[in-house]
Amino acid sequence: MVKNISKYSYVEIQWHDIEDSSEWSNLESLSKEQLPIAVTKGYLLDQKNGITRLFRDYIRTKDKNKDTFEDIGSTVIIPTCVIISMKKIKL
């Protein structure tokens, strides 16, 4: 199905990521640990049922309209509950 890229907002999302460690440590060090903040940029597909979906790449259709596409790549899904901020980026 052919889609128009202009219908999708390009966004930057900052979100809390999970961090783990296999190293020996102590309770005091663990108590001071902070969640890392990840930054993801891409085209926002949707946000529903607690999931935010993005894609970063697309393949243009072979017609003369450079703003249409069918296939996407580099997809990302993020639990909406871990998102700190989302801002639209004008391209």
Side-chain angles (χ1 to χ4, degrees):
M1 177 181 284
V2 176
K3 300 285 185 177
N4 191 310
I5 196 64
S6 65
K7 294 183 180 180
Y8 300 91
S9 297
Y10 191 80
V11 298
E12 176 185 284
I13 296 177
Q14 293 188 22
W15 53 283
H16 287 293
D17 199 0
I18 296 169
E19 186 168 84
D20 71 350
S21 174
S22 304
E23 299 175 7
W24 287 101
S25 186
N26 58 56
L27 294 177
E28 184 179 338
S29 293
L30 178 58
S31 296
K32 294 178 182 178
E33 290 291 328
Q34 300 289 319
L35 288 172
I37 296 175
V39 177
T40 301
K41 294 180 182 178
Y43 294 94
L44 180 64
L45 175 62
D46 63 27
Q47 280 188 300
K48 50 185 166 178
N49 299 324
I51 299 172
T52 300
R53 294 175 177 84
L54 298 104
F55 61 95
R56 296 182 185 140
D57 303 320
Y58 62 92
I59 296 176
R60 289 181 180 164
T61 54
K62 294 181 181 179
D63 63 14
K64 294 182 181 181
N65 185 348
K66 67 178 183 175
D67 293 333
T68 59
F69 69 96
E70 291 184 64
D71 297 322
I72 59 171
S74 299
T75 60
V76 180
I77 59 172
I78 301 170
T80 303
C81 64
V82 299
I83 292 177
I84 302 165
S85 68
M86 179 169 39
K87 67 178 181 179
K88 290 183 182 180
I89 299 173
K90 187 168 183 154
L91 297 179

